[in-house]
Amino acid sequence: MKALLVCEVREGKLLDASYELLTFADKLGAEKVAVLVGSDGSVPQFDGRVYLADAATLGEYNPAAHKAAVLAAVEKEQPDVVVLCHSSYGWDLAPRLAAALKAGQVTEIVALVDGGFEVGCCNAKMRRQVRPAGGKAVLTVQAGAFAAAAPQGTPQVERIDVAADGQGLTFGGYEPAEAKAVDLGRAEIIVSAGRGIGKKDNVAVIEALAKAFGGELGASRPVVDAGWVDHSRQVGTTGQTVSPKLYVACGISGAIQHLAGMKKSDFVVAINKDKDAPIGEVADVLVVADVLQFAPVLTAALQK
Amino acid sequence: MKLLVCIKQVPDLESRFKPAADGLWFDDNDLAWRLNEYDEYAVEQAVQLKEQLGGEAELTVLSIGPDRVVEAIKKALAMGADKAVHVQDSAAHQKDPWQIASIIAAYAREQGFDLIFTGMQSQDRGSAQVGVLVAELLGLASATTLVGFSYADGVVQAKRELEGGLKGLVSLRLPALVTCQLGLNTPRYPTLPNIMKAKKKEIRPIPVADLLKEESLAPTTSFYAPARKGGGLVLEGEPSETALKLVNILKEKTAVLR
């Protein structure tokens, strides 16, 4: 078994998540070969071969050129699986590779089970096993599902030259994240509102609870997208990553992207009507209740 | 300009799921169905573009599935799509993303769409593959995870959502395909007059066998609830008692409450 690991570079730096791919390949028992569009300074450190295409020429986001670079490495190595992070880069590039190779793709793998790949579905409430139908497969791996390997060793670097044709797409650079009005990363207590609060007016109920705890208000993505709470308070993959001493999730079901942003919290309390909600997986205490009824009672209890 | 938006009908994700008899997907009895949330943003963006272009644009909506998906199609029509295609397939849930994409591509190839919109993923399966696969099968430029969109003179200016609040700026020359992320716009609620108008719009049925020529490349082999790690304490009952219990636990187990 051989795995071609597609590493990821952003603003000139290798992303740490690339080291999770090494762990995944070890779990598969696969020989590891890496490929990336980057520079000498962004090559992953491990004892193996690395194919390097030049990001300065190709651009950091140029799917057609990146596809060509990975396919050049596939041609040389003939791997059984091509593995990417399940990230904005990975889920964009993986189907392009799968189409070119006419390979089955498995998205957002959370575990390996007896030779099958386990993935979450139905908002993390259920799991599926997928077994690609022979030949090569293209895989994306959920962030954090496989711990990052320590950088170790010196790779043999081989350069790949491919054309930079963007096929109608031009990358115009990055727009930086908005300045954070609130740095939730430093908060000791965060009380977050989720979709379960029902409507904008009810944000006040959660705010009152946050105040009673002496903490900051946080929110899950749907609440921010609906315009109920400012983006600067969003916890999750596309918001802030937090690690407070206490995290109180109010009416948050626990989508993977939210869990990724708060699972480093020391102590997690979830208040949710649904006993089976995925947030229960990471909660130290799950209060099964309607958050709009329970939060005011808890607020009063804290104020005593 | 010819626009296509691809939509999927999904169950309400607040539902409780149990495996169907075949053990490969969920039992679809007693579920409430709705338009995939990501696709609502796709429909809205397509309708906004049609409005911007005035009379020259035609917007088609396509969905694959059993008869019930017509409800999702009608919603898209009521939001402002002009006509629809229903690819009739009572076993759509057994198809893998490669097959679904090949069905869409087989239809779209004949029609010569200038711009195709999809959600970035479905809420139930979440493979995030179909949109880009369609683009690749048709040889179109594509960009994923859009949270910003504008169009002028044959070029789409898009903003892709990356991690940690960073965004990637991309321009795409038509023909192209984009996949839409939550927060891209504010999807409209269909008004009653538009719901009435939608009833008169054409929904063309096409049997899936006319479009599907591909075998599955990544079949599902089992479907189940995740094993519960447990460990966490579950509190149920009268709110006032539960709240006191919780406060005591927090005093005992954390350093944040005195």
Side-chain angles (χ1 to χ4, degrees), chain A residues 67 88 92 102 107 118 122 127-129 168 170 172 175 221 276 284 286, chain B residues 124 127 129 136 144 160-161 167 169 171 173 220-221 224 228 233 235:
Chain A
K67 176 176 75 176
S88 57
D92 187 88
K102 205 179 171 186
T107 298
E118 191 179 75
C122 301
R127 296 278 169 94
R128 282 192 304 141
Q129 267 179 51
T170 314
E175 183 182 285
R221 176 169 197 138
D276 296 325
D284 295 281
L286 171 65
Chain B
D124 55 356
S127 81
Q129 296 176 27
E136 293 294 298
T144 54
R160 298 184 62 229
E161 184 177 67
K167 296 186 177 72
L169 306 172
S171 63
R173 213 170 45 236
T220 299
T221 55
Y224 45 88
R228 287 278 156 193
L233 181 68
L235 296 180

PDB file of all heavy atoms in Angstrom, chain A residues 67 88 92 102 107 118 122 127-129 168 170 172 175 221 276 284 286, chain B residues 124 127 129 136 144 160-161 167 169 171 173 220-221 224 228 233 235:
ATOM      1  N   LYS A  67      -3.775  20.547  -9.454  1.00  0.00           N
ATOM      2  CA  LYS A  67      -4.209  19.215  -9.903  1.00  0.00           C
ATOM      3  C   LYS A  67      -3.126  18.592 -10.783  1.00  0.00           C
ATOM      4  O   LYS A  67      -2.743  17.437 -10.591  1.00  0.00           O
ATOM      5  CB  LYS A  67      -5.527  19.345 -10.687  1.00  0.00           C
ATOM      6  CG  LYS A  67      -6.030  18.046 -11.294  1.00  0.00           C
ATOM      7  CD  LYS A  67      -7.385  18.226 -11.972  1.00  0.00           C
ATOM      8  CE  LYS A  67      -7.254  18.949 -13.309  1.00  0.00           C
ATOM      9  NZ  LYS A  67      -8.555  19.033 -14.022  1.00  0.00           N
ATOM     10  N   SER A  88     -10.599  23.759   3.336  1.00  0.00           N
ATOM     11  CA  SER A  88     -11.056  24.503   2.155  1.00  0.00           C
ATOM     12  C   SER A  88     -10.168  24.182   0.945  1.00  0.00           C
ATOM     13  O   SER A  88     -10.624  24.227  -0.191  1.00  0.00           O
ATOM     14  CB  SER A  88     -11.045  26.003   2.447  1.00  0.00           C
ATOM     15  OG  SER A  88      -9.754  26.416   2.832  1.00  0.00           O
ATOM     16  N   ASP A  92     -11.671  21.240  -2.066  1.00  0.00           N
ATOM     17  CA  ASP A  92     -11.719  21.868  -3.378  1.00  0.00           C
ATOM     18  C   ASP A  92     -10.925  21.067  -4.403  1.00  0.00           C
ATOM     19  O   ASP A  92     -11.331  20.916  -5.551  1.00  0.00           O
ATOM     20  CB  ASP A  92     -11.151  23.291  -3.260  1.00  0.00           C
ATOM     21  CG  ASP A  92     -11.302  24.092  -4.541  1.00  0.00           C
ATOM     22  OD1 ASP A  92     -12.354  24.722  -4.699  1.00  0.00           O
ATOM     23  OD2 ASP A  92     -10.378  24.063  -5.373  1.00  0.00           O
ATOM     24  N   LYS A 102     -10.545   9.131 -12.323  1.00  0.00           N
ATOM     25  CA  LYS A 102     -11.776   8.331 -12.250  1.00  0.00           C
ATOM     26  C   LYS A 102     -11.698   7.405 -11.031  1.00  0.00           C
ATOM     27  O   LYS A 102     -11.861   6.186 -11.109  1.00  0.00           O
ATOM     28  CB  LYS A 102     -12.075   7.566 -13.524  1.00  0.00           C
ATOM     29  CG  LYS A 102     -13.563   7.297 -13.635  1.00  0.00           C
ATOM     30  CD  LYS A 102     -13.978   6.561 -14.878  1.00  0.00           C
ATOM     31  CE  LYS A 102     -15.459   6.195 -14.690  1.00  0.00           C
ATOM     32  NZ  LYS A 102     -15.979   5.348 -15.754  1.00  0.00           N
ATOM     33  N   THR A 107     -14.883  11.284   1.660  1.00  0.00           N
ATOM     34  CA  THR A 107     -14.750  12.617   2.241  1.00  0.00           C
ATOM     35  C   THR A 107     -14.787  12.590   3.760  1.00  0.00           C
ATOM     36  O   THR A 107     -15.644  11.945   4.334  1.00  0.00           O
ATOM     37  CB  THR A 107     -15.922  13.495   1.747  1.00  0.00           C
ATOM     38  OG1 THR A 107     -15.831  13.615   0.325  1.00  0.00           O
ATOM     39  CG2 THR A 107     -15.873  14.887   2.350  1.00  0.00           C
ATOM     40  N   GLU A 118     -14.408   5.192   7.732  1.00  0.00           N
ATOM     41  CA  GLU A 118     -15.600   5.650   8.431  1.00  0.00           C
ATOM     42  C   GLU A 118     -15.714   7.163   8.295  1.00  0.00           C
ATOM     43  O   GLU A 118     -14.754   7.881   8.531  1.00  0.00           O
ATOM     44  CB  GLU A 118     -15.529   5.267   9.913  1.00  0.00           C
ATOM     45  CG  GLU A 118     -16.855   5.487  10.629  1.00  0.00           C
ATOM     46  CD  GLU A 118     -16.789   5.073  12.097  1.00  0.00           C
ATOM     47  OE1 GLU A 118     -16.196   5.816  12.899  1.00  0.00           O
ATOM     48  OE2 GLU A 118     -17.342   4.009  12.436  1.00  0.00           O
ATOM     49  N   CYS A 122     -25.246  13.086   8.399  1.00  0.00           N
ATOM     50  CA  CYS A 122     -26.409  13.565   9.153  1.00  0.00           C
ATOM     51  C   CYS A 122     -25.966  14.442  10.320  1.00  0.00           C
ATOM     52  O   CYS A 122     -26.345  14.209  11.463  1.00  0.00           O
ATOM     53  CB  CYS A 122     -27.262  12.403   9.638  1.00  0.00           C
ATOM     54  SG  CYS A 122     -27.866  11.381   8.298  1.00  0.00           S
ATOM     55  N   ARG A 127     -22.942   7.518  11.241  1.00  0.00           N
ATOM     56  CA  ARG A 127     -21.682   7.195  10.574  1.00  0.00           C
ATOM     57  C   ARG A 127     -21.950   6.296   9.368  1.00  0.00           C
ATOM     58  O   ARG A 127     -22.897   5.520   9.380  1.00  0.00           O
ATOM     59  CB  ARG A 127     -20.746   6.445  11.531  1.00  0.00           C
ATOM     60  CG  ARG A 127     -20.318   7.271  12.746  1.00  0.00           C
ATOM     61  CD  ARG A 127     -19.179   8.169  12.377  1.00  0.00           C
ATOM     62  NE  ARG A 127     -18.899   9.153  13.407  1.00  0.00           N
ATOM     63  CZ  ARG A 127     -17.996   8.995  14.380  1.00  0.00           C
ATOM     64  NH1 ARG A 127     -17.323   7.862  14.483  1.00  0.00           N
ATOM     65  NH2 ARG A 127     -17.757   9.955  15.240  1.00  0.00           N
ATOM     66  N   ARG A 128     -21.059   6.402   8.380  1.00  0.00           N
ATOM     67  CA  ARG A 128     -21.114   5.499   7.228  1.00  0.00           C
ATOM     68  C   ARG A 128     -19.746   4.873   7.056  1.00  0.00           C
ATOM     69  O   ARG A 128     -18.736   5.496   7.364  1.00  0.00           O
ATOM     70  CB  ARG A 128     -21.372   6.272   5.931  1.00  0.00           C
ATOM     71  CG  ARG A 128     -22.770   6.707   5.691  1.00  0.00           C
ATOM     72  CD  ARG A 128     -22.932   7.190   4.250  1.00  0.00           C
ATOM     73  NE  ARG A 128     -22.012   8.248   3.879  1.00  0.00           N
ATOM     74  CZ  ARG A 128     -21.411   8.332   2.689  1.00  0.00           C
ATOM     75  NH1 ARG A 128     -21.599   7.407   1.756  1.00  0.00           N
ATOM     76  NH2 ARG A 128     -20.598   9.333   2.428  1.00  0.00           N
ATOM     77  N   GLN A 129     -19.734   3.663   6.527  1.00  0.00           N
ATOM     78  CA  GLN A 129     -18.465   3.109   6.068  1.00  0.00           C
ATOM     79  C   GLN A 129     -18.478   3.098   4.559  1.00  0.00           C
ATOM     80  O   GLN A 129     -19.479   2.737   3.943  1.00  0.00           O
ATOM     81  CB  GLN A 129     -18.269   1.692   6.593  1.00  0.00           C
ATOM     82  CG  GLN A 129     -17.493   1.648   7.900  1.00  0.00           C
ATOM     83  CD  GLN A 129     -17.342   0.239   8.387  1.00  0.00           C
ATOM     84  OE1 GLN A 129     -16.922  -0.638   7.636  1.00  0.00           O
ATOM     85  NE2 GLN A 129     -17.707   0.015   9.627  1.00  0.00           N
ATOM     86  N   GLY A 168      -9.320  29.596 -16.788  1.00  0.00           N
ATOM     87  CA  GLY A 168     -10.446  30.506 -16.549  1.00  0.00           C
ATOM     88  C   GLY A 168     -10.543  31.000 -15.121  1.00  0.00           C
ATOM     89  O   GLY A 168     -11.418  31.802 -14.809  1.00  0.00           O
ATOM     90  N   THR A 170      -8.620  32.853 -11.824  1.00  0.00           N
ATOM     91  CA  THR A 170      -7.462  33.628 -11.379  1.00  0.00           C
ATOM     92  C   THR A 170      -7.575  33.903  -9.884  1.00  0.00           C
ATOM     93  O   THR A 170      -8.613  34.367  -9.416  1.00  0.00           O
ATOM     94  CB  THR A 170      -7.398  34.992 -12.104  1.00  0.00           C
ATOM     95  OG1 THR A 170      -7.626  34.774 -13.493  1.00  0.00           O
ATOM     96  CG2 THR A 170      -6.036  35.643 -11.911  1.00  0.00           C
ATOM     97  N   GLY A 172      -6.825  35.979  -6.655  1.00  0.00           N
ATOM     98  CA  GLY A 172      -6.532  37.386  -6.412  1.00  0.00           C
ATOM     99  C   GLY A 172      -5.974  37.665  -5.028  1.00  0.00           C
ATOM    100  O   GLY A 172      -6.058  38.796  -4.553  1.00  0.00           O
ATOM    101  N   GLU A 175      -7.988  37.921   1.625  1.00  0.00           N
ATOM    102  CA  GLU A 175      -8.552  39.035   2.390  1.00  0.00           C
ATOM    103  C   GLU A 175      -8.422  38.625   3.848  1.00  0.00           C
ATOM    104  O   GLU A 175      -8.936  37.584   4.250  1.00  0.00           O
ATOM    105  CB  GLU A 175     -10.030  39.209   2.013  1.00  0.00           C
ATOM    106  CG  GLU A 175     -10.707  40.372   2.697  1.00  0.00           C
ATOM    107  CD  GLU A 175     -12.181  40.440   2.296  1.00  0.00           C
ATOM    108  OE1 GLU A 175     -12.470  40.861   1.166  1.00  0.00           O
ATOM    109  OE2 GLU A 175     -13.023  40.046   3.120  1.00  0.00           O
ATOM    110  N   ARG A 221     -22.145  28.885  14.222  1.00  0.00           N
ATOM    111  CA  ARG A 221     -22.249  29.477  12.896  1.00  0.00           C
ATOM    112  C   ARG A 221     -23.659  29.893  12.458  1.00  0.00           C
ATOM    113  O   ARG A 221     -23.841  31.003  11.940  1.00  0.00           O
ATOM    114  CB  ARG A 221     -21.662  28.508  11.872  1.00  0.00           C
ATOM    115  CG  ARG A 221     -21.843  29.035  10.499  1.00  0.00           C
ATOM    116  CD  ARG A 221     -21.094  28.321   9.429  1.00  0.00           C
ATOM    117  NE  ARG A 221     -21.114  29.237   8.316  1.00  0.00           N
ATOM    118  CZ  ARG A 221     -20.106  29.486   7.528  1.00  0.00           C
ATOM    119  NH1 ARG A 221     -19.002  28.849   7.711  1.00  0.00           N
ATOM    120  NH2 ARG A 221     -20.220  30.350   6.565  1.00  0.00           N
ATOM    121  N   ASP A 276     -29.474  12.952  22.250  1.00  0.00           N
ATOM    122  CA  ASP A 276     -28.554  12.292  21.317  1.00  0.00           C
ATOM    123  C   ASP A 276     -27.716  13.277  20.495  1.00  0.00           C
ATOM    124  O   ASP A 276     -26.969  12.868  19.613  1.00  0.00           O
ATOM    125  CB  ASP A 276     -29.332  11.403  20.341  1.00  0.00           C
ATOM    126  CG  ASP A 276     -30.028  10.268  21.068  1.00  0.00           C
ATOM    127  OD1 ASP A 276     -29.452   9.781  22.055  1.00  0.00           O
ATOM    128  OD2 ASP A 276     -31.140   9.889  20.652  1.00  0.00           O
ATOM    129  N   ASP A 284     -18.974  17.393  29.460  1.00  0.00           N
ATOM    130  CA  ASP A 284     -18.768  16.771  30.772  1.00  0.00           C
ATOM    131  C   ASP A 284     -20.111  16.639  31.474  1.00  0.00           C
ATOM    132  O   ASP A 284     -20.349  15.683  32.194  1.00  0.00           O
ATOM    133  CB  ASP A 284     -17.809  17.620  31.603  1.00  0.00           C
ATOM    134  CG  ASP A 284     -16.417  17.643  30.983  1.00  0.00           C
ATOM    135  OD1 ASP A 284     -15.692  16.667  31.168  1.00  0.00           O
ATOM    136  OD2 ASP A 284     -16.099  18.619  30.267  1.00  0.00           O
ATOM    137  N   LEU A 286     -24.248  17.060  30.379  1.00  0.00           N
ATOM    138  CA  LEU A 286     -25.297  17.379  29.414  1.00  0.00           C
ATOM    139  C   LEU A 286     -26.594  17.595  30.177  1.00  0.00           C
ATOM    140  O   LEU A 286     -27.080  16.687  30.839  1.00  0.00           O
ATOM    141  CB  LEU A 286     -25.465  16.234  28.410  1.00  0.00           C
ATOM    142  CG  LEU A 286     -26.676  16.342  27.468  1.00  0.00           C
ATOM    143  CD1 LEU A 286     -26.553  17.540  26.548  1.00  0.00           C
ATOM    144  CD2 LEU A 286     -26.838  15.065  26.633  1.00  0.00           C
TER     145      LEU A 286
ATOM    146  N   ASP B 124     -27.086  16.062   4.724  1.00  0.00           N
ATOM    147  CA  ASP B 124     -27.172  14.676   5.197  1.00  0.00           C
ATOM    148  C   ASP B 124     -25.913  13.872   4.868  1.00  0.00           C
ATOM    149  O   ASP B 124     -25.265  13.323   5.743  1.00  0.00           O
ATOM    150  CB  ASP B 124     -28.452  13.977   4.700  1.00  0.00           C
ATOM    151  CG  ASP B 124     -28.634  14.001   3.192  1.00  0.00           C
ATOM    152  OD1 ASP B 124     -27.817  14.620   2.476  1.00  0.00           O
ATOM    153  OD2 ASP B 124     -29.618  13.404   2.717  1.00  0.00           O
ATOM    154  N   SER B 127     -20.740  15.037   1.385  1.00  0.00           N
ATOM    155  CA  SER B 127     -19.519  14.615   0.686  1.00  0.00           C
ATOM    156  C   SER B 127     -18.774  15.784   0.057  1.00  0.00           C
ATOM    157  O   SER B 127     -17.584  15.673  -0.217  1.00  0.00           O
ATOM    158  CB  SER B 127     -19.841  13.569  -0.388  1.00  0.00           C
ATOM    159  OG  SER B 127     -20.308  14.188  -1.556  1.00  0.00           O
ATOM    160  N   GLN B 129     -18.601  16.787  -2.865  1.00  0.00           N
ATOM    161  CA  GLN B 129     -17.927  16.354  -4.093  1.00  0.00           C
ATOM    162  C   GLN B 129     -18.680  16.731  -5.364  1.00  0.00           C
ATOM    163  O   GLN B 129     -18.058  16.995  -6.401  1.00  0.00           O
ATOM    164  CB  GLN B 129     -17.769  14.823  -4.087  1.00  0.00           C
ATOM    165  CG  GLN B 129     -16.887  14.291  -2.987  1.00  0.00           C
ATOM    166  CD  GLN B 129     -16.852  12.774  -2.978  1.00  0.00           C
ATOM    167  OE1 GLN B 129     -17.049  12.125  -3.996  1.00  0.00           O
ATOM    168  NE2 GLN B 129     -16.605  12.194  -1.834  1.00  0.00           N
ATOM    169  N   GLU B 136     -15.755  19.415 -13.403  1.00  0.00           N
ATOM    170  CA  GLU B 136     -14.661  18.683 -14.048  1.00  0.00           C
ATOM    171  C   GLU B 136     -15.174  17.864 -15.230  1.00  0.00           C
ATOM    172  O   GLU B 136     -14.537  17.805 -16.280  1.00  0.00           O
ATOM    173  CB  GLU B 136     -13.957  17.777 -13.035  1.00  0.00           C
ATOM    174  CG  GLU B 136     -13.201  18.540 -11.947  1.00  0.00           C
ATOM    175  CD  GLU B 136     -12.018  19.339 -12.489  1.00  0.00           C
ATOM    176  OE1 GLU B 136     -11.091  18.725 -13.030  1.00  0.00           O
ATOM    177  OE2 GLU B 136     -12.036  20.582 -12.365  1.00  0.00           O
ATOM    178  N   THR B 144     -15.096  26.824  -4.951  1.00  0.00           N
ATOM    179  CA  THR B 144     -15.932  26.253  -3.891  1.00  0.00           C
ATOM    180  C   THR B 144     -16.074  27.208  -2.711  1.00  0.00           C
ATOM    181  O   THR B 144     -15.293  28.144  -2.552  1.00  0.00           O
ATOM    182  CB  THR B 144     -15.304  24.948  -3.371  1.00  0.00           C
ATOM    183  OG1 THR B 144     -13.962  25.209  -2.978  1.00  0.00           O
ATOM    184  CG2 THR B 144     -15.307  23.874  -4.437  1.00  0.00           C
ATOM    185  N   ARG B 160     -13.928  33.094  -1.428  1.00  0.00           N
ATOM    186  CA  ARG B 160     -14.006  31.744  -0.846  1.00  0.00           C
ATOM    187  C   ARG B 160     -13.725  31.826   0.649  1.00  0.00           C
ATOM    188  O   ARG B 160     -12.789  32.503   1.063  1.00  0.00           O
ATOM    189  CB  ARG B 160     -12.959  30.804  -1.462  1.00  0.00           C
ATOM    190  CG  ARG B 160     -13.103  30.577  -2.942  1.00  0.00           C
ATOM    191  CD  ARG B 160     -12.062  29.557  -3.404  1.00  0.00           C
ATOM    192  NE  ARG B 160     -12.267  28.281  -2.745  1.00  0.00           N
ATOM    193  CZ  ARG B 160     -11.315  27.572  -2.137  1.00  0.00           C
ATOM    194  NH1 ARG B 160     -10.074  28.009  -2.093  1.00  0.00           N
ATOM    195  NH2 ARG B 160     -11.593  26.420  -1.565  1.00  0.00           N
ATOM    196  N   GLU B 161     -14.483  31.104   1.430  1.00  0.00           N
ATOM    197  CA  GLU B 161     -14.229  31.081   2.864  1.00  0.00           C
ATOM    198  C   GLU B 161     -13.130  30.065   3.170  1.00  0.00           C
ATOM    199  O   GLU B 161     -13.263  28.881   2.862  1.00  0.00           O
ATOM    200  CB  GLU B 161     -15.501  30.712   3.618  1.00  0.00           C
ATOM    201  CG  GLU B 161     -15.298  30.776   5.122  1.00  0.00           C
ATOM    202  CD  GLU B 161     -16.585  30.480   5.856  1.00  0.00           C
ATOM    203  OE1 GLU B 161     -17.057  29.332   5.776  1.00  0.00           O
ATOM    204  OE2 GLU B 161     -17.113  31.382   6.490  1.00  0.00           O
ATOM    205  N   LYS B 167     -10.212  34.864   3.860  1.00  0.00           N
ATOM    206  CA  LYS B 167     -10.969  34.616   2.631  1.00  0.00           C
ATOM    207  C   LYS B 167     -10.034  34.642   1.428  1.00  0.00           C
ATOM    208  O   LYS B 167      -9.046  35.376   1.431  1.00  0.00           O
ATOM    209  CB  LYS B 167     -12.077  35.640   2.482  1.00  0.00           C
ATOM    210  CG  LYS B 167     -13.101  35.514   3.598  1.00  0.00           C
ATOM    211  CD  LYS B 167     -14.288  36.422   3.399  1.00  0.00           C
ATOM    212  CE  LYS B 167     -15.316  36.203   4.490  1.00  0.00           C
ATOM    213  NZ  LYS B 167     -14.885  36.725   5.808  1.00  0.00           N
ATOM    214  N   LEU B 169      -9.692  35.371  -2.641  1.00  0.00           N
ATOM    215  CA  LEU B 169     -10.361  36.102  -3.717  1.00  0.00           C
ATOM    216  C   LEU B 169     -10.060  35.423  -5.049  1.00  0.00           C
ATOM    217  O   LEU B 169      -8.905  35.124  -5.346  1.00  0.00           O
ATOM    218  CB  LEU B 169      -9.877  37.551  -3.733  1.00  0.00           C
ATOM    219  CG  LEU B 169     -10.011  38.278  -2.390  1.00  0.00           C
ATOM    220  CD1 LEU B 169      -9.341  39.644  -2.443  1.00  0.00           C
ATOM    221  CD2 LEU B 169     -11.475  38.402  -2.007  1.00  0.00           C
ATOM    222  N   SER B 171     -11.282  35.161  -9.361  1.00  0.00           N
ATOM    223  CA  SER B 171     -12.179  35.513 -10.469  1.00  0.00           C
ATOM    224  C   SER B 171     -12.281  34.333 -11.427  1.00  0.00           C
ATOM    225  O   SER B 171     -11.310  33.596 -11.646  1.00  0.00           O
ATOM    226  CB  SER B 171     -11.714  36.785 -11.179  1.00  0.00           C
ATOM    227  OG  SER B 171     -10.462  36.573 -11.766  1.00  0.00           O
ATOM    228  N   ARG B 173     -13.827  33.080 -15.222  1.00  0.00           N
ATOM    229  CA  ARG B 173     -14.408  33.423 -16.521  1.00  0.00           C
ATOM    230  C   ARG B 173     -15.482  32.387 -16.874  1.00  0.00           C
ATOM    231  O   ARG B 173     -15.266  31.196 -16.690  1.00  0.00           O
ATOM    232  CB  ARG B 173     -13.297  33.423 -17.577  1.00  0.00           C
ATOM    233  CG  ARG B 173     -13.498  34.433 -18.684  1.00  0.00           C
ATOM    234  CD  ARG B 173     -12.261  34.572 -19.563  1.00  0.00           C
ATOM    235  NE  ARG B 173     -11.699  33.278 -19.913  1.00  0.00           N
ATOM    236  CZ  ARG B 173     -10.446  32.927 -19.667  1.00  0.00           C
ATOM    237  NH1 ARG B 173      -9.631  33.754 -19.066  1.00  0.00           N
ATOM    238  NH2 ARG B 173     -10.002  31.747 -20.016  1.00  0.00           N
ATOM    239  N   THR B 220     -21.236   2.908  -0.217  1.00  0.00           N
ATOM    240  CA  THR B 220     -21.415   2.789   1.227  1.00  0.00           C
ATOM    241  C   THR B 220     -21.599   1.314   1.549  1.00  0.00           C
ATOM    242  O   THR B 220     -22.358   0.615   0.872  1.00  0.00           O
ATOM    243  CB  THR B 220     -22.673   3.554   1.665  1.00  0.00           C
ATOM    244  OG1 THR B 220     -22.494   4.933   1.336  1.00  0.00           O
ATOM    245  CG2 THR B 220     -22.911   3.435   3.163  1.00  0.00           C
ATOM    246  N   THR B 221     -20.916   0.838   2.598  1.00  0.00           N
ATOM    247  CA  THR B 221     -21.076  -0.569   2.953  1.00  0.00           C
ATOM    248  C   THR B 221     -21.802  -0.768   4.282  1.00  0.00           C
ATOM    249  O   THR B 221     -22.276  -1.854   4.578  1.00  0.00           O
ATOM    250  CB  THR B 221     -19.714  -1.293   3.011  1.00  0.00           C
ATOM    251  OG1 THR B 221     -18.858  -0.568   3.912  1.00  0.00           O
ATOM    252  CG2 THR B 221     -19.071  -1.338   1.637  1.00  0.00           C
ATOM    253  N   TYR B 224     -24.611   3.470  10.534  1.00  0.00           N
ATOM    254  CA  TYR B 224     -24.942   3.175  11.935  1.00  0.00           C
ATOM    255  C   TYR B 224     -24.753   4.423  12.790  1.00  0.00           C
ATOM    256  O   TYR B 224     -24.119   5.392  12.357  1.00  0.00           O
ATOM    257  CB  TYR B 224     -24.060   2.035  12.461  1.00  0.00           C
ATOM    258  CG  TYR B 224     -22.598   2.186  12.098  1.00  0.00           C
ATOM    259  CD1 TYR B 224     -21.720   2.894  12.909  1.00  0.00           C
ATOM    260  CD2 TYR B 224     -22.095   1.641  10.910  1.00  0.00           C
ATOM    261  CE1 TYR B 224     -20.392   3.061  12.562  1.00  0.00           C
ATOM    262  CE2 TYR B 224     -20.767   1.802  10.546  1.00  0.00           C
ATOM    263  CZ  TYR B 224     -19.922   2.518  11.378  1.00  0.00           C
ATOM    264  OH  TYR B 224     -18.607   2.685  11.020  1.00  0.00           O
ATOM    265  N   ARG B 228     -21.297   5.492  21.467  1.00  0.00           N
ATOM    266  CA  ARG B 228     -21.254   6.562  22.470  1.00  0.00           C
ATOM    267  C   ARG B 228     -20.078   6.341  23.392  1.00  0.00           C
ATOM    268  O   ARG B 228     -19.926   5.272  23.961  1.00  0.00           O
ATOM    269  CB  ARG B 228     -22.545   6.576  23.283  1.00  0.00           C
ATOM    270  CG  ARG B 228     -23.734   7.119  22.510  1.00  0.00           C
ATOM    271  CD  ARG B 228     -23.743   8.628  22.537  1.00  0.00           C
ATOM    272  NE  ARG B 228     -24.479   9.138  21.378  1.00  0.00           N
ATOM    273  CZ  ARG B 228     -24.453  10.407  20.985  1.00  0.00           C
ATOM    274  NH1 ARG B 228     -23.747  11.287  21.627  1.00  0.00           N
ATOM    275  NH2 ARG B 228     -25.137  10.800  19.939  1.00  0.00           N
ATOM    276  N   LEU B 233     -21.819  13.306  32.330  1.00  0.00           N
ATOM    277  CA  LEU B 233     -22.976  13.164  33.199  1.00  0.00           C
ATOM    278  C   LEU B 233     -24.200  13.748  32.500  1.00  0.00           C
ATOM    279  O   LEU B 233     -24.108  14.789  31.867  1.00  0.00           O
ATOM    280  CB  LEU B 233     -22.690  13.928  34.495  1.00  0.00           C
ATOM    281  CG  LEU B 233     -23.761  13.896  35.574  1.00  0.00           C
ATOM    282  CD1 LEU B 233     -23.888  12.491  36.156  1.00  0.00           C
ATOM    283  CD2 LEU B 233     -23.393  14.898  36.670  1.00  0.00           C
ATOM    284  N   LEU B 235     -27.932  15.264  33.066  1.00  0.00           N
ATOM    285  CA  LEU B 235     -28.882  15.778  34.052  1.00  0.00           C
ATOM    286  C   LEU B 235     -30.232  15.994  33.391  1.00  0.00           C
ATOM    287  O   LEU B 235     -30.330  16.659  32.371  1.00  0.00           O
ATOM    288  CB  LEU B 235     -28.397  17.106  34.640  1.00  0.00           C
ATOM    289  CG  LEU B 235     -27.105  17.121  35.457  1.00  0.00           C
ATOM    290  CD1 LEU B 235     -26.803  18.536  35.935  1.00  0.00           C
ATOM    291  CD2 LEU B 235     -27.198  16.176  36.641  1.00  0.00           C
TER     292      LEU B 235
END
